[in-house]
Every structure is written in C-alpha cells, then in structure tokens.
Amino acid sequence: MTHRAVVLLSGGLDSSTCLAWGIREGLECHALSFDYGQRQLQELNAARAIAKALGASSHRVLRFDLRAIGGSALTDDIEVPKHRTIGEIGQGIPITYVPARNTIFLSYALALAEVIGADRLLIGVNALDYSGYPDCRPEFIAAFESMANLGSRFVQTPEARLQILTPLIAMTKAEIVRLARSLGVPIELTFSCYDPSESGEPCGQCDACLLRAKGLEEA
Ligand code: ZN
C-alpha cells in the first residue's frame, strides 16, 4: 500500500531533500509551503520550482501572518545576524527563530493530512548541524506526533497512527548535500538565505548561508 504524505517544503536545501527522499521511498508526496509574512519571499518561488521539478503530487501555499506577532528577525524589523562562526551559531536560540513556527507548520500539515487521508508528515528538521531552534529537536517531534494522534481523526484508528518522518534529523549538512545530490535535487533551485538582497541574491553571511556553504564545501 502506498502511504500518502504531507511534506513541509520551505524551498531550502533541507526540505527539498526531504521531499526527494519521500518520493524515492515510494510515498505519494503532497507539498505544503507557507507565506507567513517572512521577509524573504524568494524561498516560496524556490518551493514552487522544487515541487514541480521533483514531481510532488500536489503543492499548496498557505497564507497567514506571523508578522502580527513578530519577535523574530524573519518576521519583524530586527536585523539578521551576520558573520557568526559555526560555534556561535550552535549556541542558544538565535533571533532568527520564529516563535512556535514548527508547531504552527506541523499543525497545518496535520489538518491537511486529515483531509487528504495522509498518514505521514515529512519535515526536514536537523538536530546536528542546526541553528539552535528548539522546535527542530527529536523530543519536540516525538511529542508533536503523540499530540497529533490524540487530537485528530487518527484517534479512531489506533492501528494506523500518523507518523512524522524526519530523515535528516541526525545528518550533518555535508551528509544532507550528498543525499540531495544522490537523489537528484536541483540544489541550484533551492534557497536558504534569511536576508537576500532586493534582487533576490543570497547574502552569503547569515547563519543559513554559512551553514549551507559549510555543507557544500564539506561534501
Ligand atoms: Zn544569507
């Protein structure tokens, strides 16, 4: 039996690799992206291009406004930190953390899963070479999975639980790059920068750009 999956797709390297992985695993992958008021909209264009290039079964872009809450360099008038070392990036919760973002994203993914009959959620979180986001940790994902099975239609079918798959969670950035290449992800179409120029060029200096460059170099 083919499992249907909702794949969170930001348009960055990690989520794009996650989508390609799901398709290779034989899942029927439905991509879900969010226009939540983030400063960088290039990633949504990247998400559209990637969903098409990889052959997602469908792609939705959901709109809501996290700028009304703010509190992050991605959704508020707060400067994106630049030139941090890899050591600095790994310490504490950075200002680019968007409060409760993955909780909100996974909640929408759960809602869509219920409607289209998907029993898998795919999210490209990474707990190793990660940028200090508490909602990327395995403990959080496990807790969300338990919660999702308690507060949805899945409660009626204990034998068919919703599972959250996190294929990248224990990988280094270099390993993710190698996986992306082996799966034929068009890496040049992916977009990770937190603070691109007005013409859409990545800054090369934010945490996302630095982690991506490190991964590409090491791979
Ligand atoms: Zn950048």
Side-chain angles (χ1 to χ4, degrees), residues 2-217:
T2 302
H3 288 278
R4 198 166 280 170
V6 175
V7 185
L8 295 183
L9 181 67
S10 72
L13 174 64
D14 294 3
S15 66
S16 302
T17 305
C18 205
L19 172 61
W21 179 88
I23 291 170
R24 188 198 60 185
E25 292 295 299
L27 298 167
E28 182 189 309
C29 288
H30 296 265
L32 181 59
S33 306
F34 301 99
D35 178 354
Y36 58 92
Q38 65 268 48
R39 281 166 35 160
Q40 72 291 18
L41 285 169
Q42 285 86 350
E43 61 174 24
L44 278 178
N45 293 330
R48 288 189 186 95
I50 289 288
K52 200 170 166 199
L54 293 176
S57 296
S58 72
H59 181 218
R60 290 170 177 78
V61 178
L62 232 146
R63 285 184 187 79
F64 53 95
D65 183 19
L66 286 182
R67 287 194 75 87
I69 296 176
S72 163
L74 303 192
T75 54
D76 215 332
D77 297 324
I78 299 170
E79 227 166 288
V80 172
K82 300 279 170 73
H83 300 293
R84 304 207 304 157
T85 65
I86 295 300
E88 286 168 339
I89 290 173
Q91 277 174 7
I93 299 175
I95 192 64
T96 50
Y97 165 67
V98 178
R101 181 170 62 179
N102 281 347
T103 306
I104 294 166
F105 285 4
L106 283 169
S107 298
Y108 279 113
L110 168 62
L112 178 59
E114 289 201 70
V115 173
I116 67 173
D119 60 358
R120 298 288 185 271
L121 302 185
L122 262 72
I123 178 168
V125 290
N126 177 248
L128 204 60
D129 263 357
Y130 82 126
S131 23
Y133 296 164
D135 55 356
C136 288
R137 297 178 306 144
E139 299 90 323
F140 164 74
I141 298 296
F144 193 97
E145 185 180 281
S146 301
M147 182 276 288
N149 280 288
L150 289 172
S152 69
R153 279 180 210 278
F154 290 96
V155 81
Q156 295 174 328
T157 53
E159 73 288 353
R161 282 171 60 85
L162 176 81
Q163 288 179 26
I164 304 181
L165 306 180
T166 56
L168 313 183
I169 199 147
M171 289 188 182
T172 63
K173 272 284 177 196
E175 286 168 338
I176 295 170
V177 170
R178 285 196 287 268
L179 177 63
R181 286 182 182 150
S182 76
L183 292 169
V185 174
I187 294 176
E188 69 287 354
L189 293 182
T190 66
F191 191 88
S192 305
C193 179
Y194 293 148
D195 193 20
S197 70
E198 278 183 25
S199 56
E201 293 300 308
C203 75
Q205 298 155 5
C206 69
D207 292 0
C209 282
L210 294 175
L211 284 171
R212 179 186 171 106
K214 177 175 176 273
L216 284 167
E217 192 183 317

